[in-house]
Amino acid sequence: ALEKNWEMHSRNYNKEMVKKLTGLNDQQAEEFMIWFNARNVLPYTSNEYEVRASIRAYFDLYKKQKNLE
């Protein structure tokens, strides 16, 4: 069951999705994902809408912390 959850999760949460939502390049997206993952925000059961909303919300926080604005 865990593997199936991870498969569904990675379909909604992956580097391409992060890049599309944030406008970051490959390396920046990886750095953001490491930062984001460390916060344990997303349960594996998150749907696509929840994933997108979380990425957007936390990207604003990330930009403030990294002074990217």
Side-chain angles (χ1 to χ4, degrees), residues 13-25:
Y13 174 62
N14 55 58
K15 192 174 12 170
E16 293 310 309
M17 173 74 75
V18 169
K19 287 166 57 177
K20 191 162 67 174
L21 292 173
T22 63
L24 296 173
N25 67 27

Side-chain angles (χ1 to χ4, degrees), residues 43-69:
Y44 288 139
T45 54
S46 298
N47 64 35
E48 186 176 352
Y49 174 80
E50 292 167 328
V51 171
R52 287 173 181 245
S54 296
I55 289 171
R56 286 194 182 105
Y58 277 83
F59 184 57
D60 285 340
L61 180 63
Y62 179 76
K63 285 192 297 191
K64 289 183 180 114
Q65 285 191 359
K66 297 282 184 181
N67 292 318
L68 294 175
E69 291 185 290

Side-chain angles (χ1 to χ4, degrees), residues 8-49:
M8 282 174 50
H9 185 66
S10 62
R11 201 175 308 142
N12 293 330
Y13 174 62
N14 55 58
K15 192 174 12 170
E16 293 310 309
M17 173 74 75
V18 169
K19 287 166 57 177
K20 191 162 67 174
L21 292 173
T22 63
L24 296 173
N25 67 27
D26 259 19
Q27 176 155 4
Q28 292 168 325
E30 284 177 20
E31 289 171 11
F32 171 73
M33 290 176 79
I34 290 167
W35 177 90
F36 184 73
N37 293 347
R39 275 138 191 84
N40 288 320
V41 179
L42 289 177
Y44 288 139
T45 54
S46 298
N47 64 35
E48 186 176 352
Y49 174 80

